[in-house]
Amino acid sequence: MVSSKSEDGLIYNIKLSSVGPARVTGQDVVYEPSNMDLAMKLHYLRGIYYFDSQAFQDVTVYKIKEPMFSWFNYFYMTNGRFRRAESGRPYIKCNDCGARFIEAQCDKTLEEWLEMKDAPLEKLLASNQVLGPELAFSPPILIQHTKFKCGGISLGLSWAHVLGDVFTTTEFWNLLGKVFGGYQPPKPLNLAHSLTKANSTQTMQKIVEDPLSIKRVDPVEDHWIVNNSCKMKSFSIHVSASKLDQLQSKLGIQGPFESLCVVIWQSISRIRDGPGPQVVTICKKGEEKKEGLIGNTQVIGVVKVDYSISEANPSELARLIKNEIIDERLKIDEAIEKEHGVSDVVVYGANLTFVNVEGADLYGFDWRGHKPRNVSYLIDGVGDAGTVLVLPAGPNEAEGKIVTMTLPEDEIMKLKNELNSE
C-alpha cells in the first residue's frame, strides 16, 4: 500500500506492509497482560534511532525485514491482537497477524533533520497510531524505516505501553540488532493456551481510595486513547554536561535527574500560580527482573509534600525524589485487579510525572557494527498534568541530557521563559 506525502511535506513515498513470525506460534495461544500492564494501556512509546548512511549502504528493505521473522518467533506476543474475555479483561490472541512495517523517505539530509528536529517533528518518524477502535485489527507495534536525502536512515518504533516500559522496549529492540548479526533466539517455552487472570474469581479487599499515581478517565471502550481536557504539546531542550554540573553545584544537589526535576517542578509551580503541584509521580527502573519476555516493571511512585513548591528548599525536594519515593505499584495492581482489569486510567500525566530512563540501554542497538548516532524517545497519551522525560543526549555522558516535556499548550511559552531565567 502506498500513501502520499505527510501533511507538512517532509515525509513522502509512504508504503505499508506487514512482518511477522517465520513459524506458526501455535493453536489458541494467548498472552495475558498483568494488572500493571493494563494500567498503562492508554500510553505509547515512540522510539527513533538515527544512523549515518554508511550503516545501511547497499542494504535493501527486504534485508532489513528478513531477520525480523526470527526476532518475532521469540517475541510472538507482540504480533498478536487484543481481544476481551467474557469478564471484559483484555488479553492478546497470539495469532501471528504481524507488526506493521512502514517505509518512507524524507526530503532533508540527516544533518539538516538533526539541526531542526524537535518533539513534534520526530513524531513523523514513528507512527502515531493507537490501539482501537477495532482492537482485533490494531497492531501493538509498528516499525518505520525512513530514508533521508543523504542516505542516512531512521528506524522508528511505535510501541503500545501495555506491552512493557522503556526498559523492556530497549531490550526488545536491542535483540533485533543481535539477530541482524546472526544470533538465533531460543524457541519460547510454556506457551499459554488458556486464560487465568481473565477468568479469576478472586475478590480483592476493597480499597478505600485509588493510589495517588493514577487518575481515572471516562470509559474509552475499545479505543485506547486519552481524551485531554486541553490541547497538549511537546517540546525538548538540550542541557549540556557543563550546565548540569553548574546546576548541581548551584542547588547543592548530587544527581542530574534530581536537579532537572527540581528546577522544572519549581518552574511549573511558579507559572501555575499556587503552592503546587504538591504531588508528583516518579518513574524509574525497578530492581527486580521481569518474569516474562515483556512487561511493565518500572517503579511508579509519588513524592508528596504539604508546603509551597516554589518556595521550597531545592536540595530538600531533590532528597525526596532520590530517597523518599512512595512506591505505588502494589496499590496500582490492586486497583486494577479490583475491577477485573477493565479500568481506564492514566499514569503519565495523572500528576506531573518525571520519567528517568537511566538503566535503559538506549544505545545498545547494533546494526552490523554500527551504533545509532542518536536515539530519541517520546511518550504519547499523556494526561493533563504533563510529563517530563529525561534522556541521554548521546552515547556519552559528556553530551548531557535531552529533556522532553509534554504539557498543556498554554503553559509552554511561560515555562520556556521561566527556565530561561534560571
Side-chain angles (χ1 to χ4, degrees), residues 399-418:
E399 296 178 68
K401 301 289 185 184
I402 295 291
V403 183
T404 299
M405 290 166 263
T406 303
L407 295 164
E409 186 177 35
D410 62 2
E411 293 183 351
I412 299 293
M413 191 53 66
K414 296 176 188 175
L415 181 58
K416 286 181 177 179
N417 292 336
E418 186 66 38

Side-chain angles (χ1 to χ4, degrees), residues 59-69 101 103 180:
V59 176
T60 63
V61 169
Y62 176 76
K63 283 294 184 183
I64 295 171
K65 292 170 74 171
E66 188 177 29
M68 292 183 179
F69 298 111
F101 191 91
E103 300 168 54
F180 279 145

Side-chain angles (χ1 to χ4, degrees), residues 165-167 257-258 281-288 297-301 320-325 327 329 348 353-359:
D165 50 41
V166 68
F167 307 100
F257 176 73
E258 291 78 12
T281 301
I282 308 293
C283 300
K284 64 179 185 177
K285 186 175 175 62
E287 294 180 0
E288 65 282 354
T297 60
Q298 68 178 349
V299 173
I300 300 173
L320 293 174
I321 293 169
K322 195 174 187 71
N323 301 318
E324 301 294 334
I325 297 172
D327 191 339
R329 284 176 293 179
Y348 298 134
T353 305
F354 294 95
V355 183
N356 186 2
V357 303
E358 185 177 351

Side-chain angles (χ1 to χ4, degrees), residues 33 115 121 194 206 215 247 258 305 317 322 367 390 392 402:
E115 281 293 320
L121 264 184
S194 61
K206 186 175 180 181
K215 180 181 179 182
L247 194 60
E258 291 78 12
V305 301
L317 293 179
K322 195 174 187 71
W367 166 260
V390 180
I402 295 291

Side-chain angles (χ1 to χ4, degrees), residues 69-374:
F69 298 111
S70 297
W71 181 46
F72 285 135
N73 284 340
Y74 188 62
F75 287 106
Y76 61 93
M77 70 292 291
T78 65
N79 278 226
R81 297 294 185 264
F82 275 94
R83 301 284 195 273
R84 288 190 185 270
E86 289 183 10
S87 65
R89 185 185 179 100
Y91 70 95
I92 296 176
K93 181 177 177 63
C94 301
N95 52 12
D96 302 332
C97 279
R100 189 80 69 247
F101 191 91
I102 303 165
E103 300 168 54
Q105 291 178 269
C106 178
D107 67 358
K108 300 291 182 183
T109 67
L110 181 57
E111 293 292 342
E112 290 170 337
W113 183 273
L114 292 175
E115 281 293 320
M116 62 189 281
K117 83 177 178 83
D118 59 12
L121 264 184
E122 287 199 299
K123 290 187 177 184
L124 297 173
L125 301 182
S127 172
N128 295 319
Q129 186 170 319
V130 300
L131 290 166
E134 295 181 285
L135 282 180
F137 299 100
S138 295
I141 67 169
L142 298 93
I143 297 165
Q144 180 169 330
H145 170 277
T146 305
K147 187 171 185 178
F148 294 93
K149 191 164 64 173
C150 61
I153 294 291
S154 73
L155 293 177
L157 173 66
S158 177
W159 172 273
H161 214 307
V162 66
L163 296 175
D165 50 41
V166 68
F167 307 100
T168 293
T169 309
T170 51
E171 288 177 12
F172 166 83
W173 197 241
N174 293 346
L175 184 66
L176 174 59
K178 293 180 181 178
V179 175
F180 279 145
Y183 172 73
Q184 288 295 319
K187 184 177 180 179
L189 303 175
N190 304 321
L191 302 182
H193 293 269
S194 61
L195 300 175
T196 55
K197 298 183 178 73
N199 296 329
S200 173
T201 56
Q202 179 182 359
T203 56
M204 301 292 296
Q205 183 178 351
K206 186 175 180 181
I207 302 171
V208 176
E209 57 186 22
D210 277 337
L212 293 172
S213 53
I214 68 172
K215 180 181 179 182
R216 294 186 182 275
V217 298
D218 293 336
V220 300
E221 298 181 347
D222 286 346
H223 197 190
W224 294 359
I225 187 171
V226 174
N227 292 309
N228 296 98
S229 63
C230 57
K231 186 174 181 181
M232 305 294 288
K233 188 174 179 180
S234 299
F235 76 100
S236 299
I237 59 172
H238 174 234
V239 185
S240 67
S242 59
K243 178 66 175 176
L244 279 171
D245 289 341
Q246 292 171 16
L247 194 60
Q248 292 176 83
S249 177
K250 175 185 173 183
L251 300 176
I253 297 170
Q254 289 301 313
F257 176 73
E258 291 78 12
S259 301
L260 292 166
C261 287
V262 169
V263 169
I264 295 168
W265 189 3
Q266 291 194 305
S267 296
I268 288 176
S269 179
R270 284 191 281 271
I271 68 170
R272 289 183 180 174
D273 295 327
Q278 293 176 312
V279 178
V280 295
T281 301
I282 308 293
C283 300
K284 64 179 185 177
K285 186 175 175 62
E287 294 180 0
E288 65 282 354
K289 187 173 176 59
K290 294 193 306 294
E291 292 183 6
L293 297 178
I294 60 174
N296 285 275
T297 60
Q298 68 178 349
V299 173
I300 300 173
V302 295
V303 172
K304 182 180 180 181
V305 301
D306 58 3
Y307 45 77
S308 171
I309 294 302
S310 60
E311 298 174 5
N313 183 331
S315 60
E316 173 59 16
L317 293 179
R319 185 190 68 80
L320 293 174
I321 293 169
K322 195 174 187 71
N323 301 318
E324 301 294 334
I325 297 172
I326 303 166
D327 191 339
E328 294 213 310
R329 284 176 293 179
L330 180 57
K331 286 185 177 181
I332 297 171
D333 183 279
E334 291 174 347
I336 302 300
E337 179 64 29
K338 182 182 70 169
E339 297 184 354
H340 307 292
V342 300
S343 310
D344 294 322
V345 303
V346 293
V347 175
Y348 298 134
N351 309 303
L352 177 61
T353 305
F354 294 95
V355 183
N356 186 2
V357 303
E358 185 177 351
D361 190 7
L362 296 182
Y363 288 85
F365 183 87
D366 186 302
W367 166 260
R368 303 189 310 173
H370 295 275
K371 294 280 190 177
R373 173 174 171 176
N374 187 262

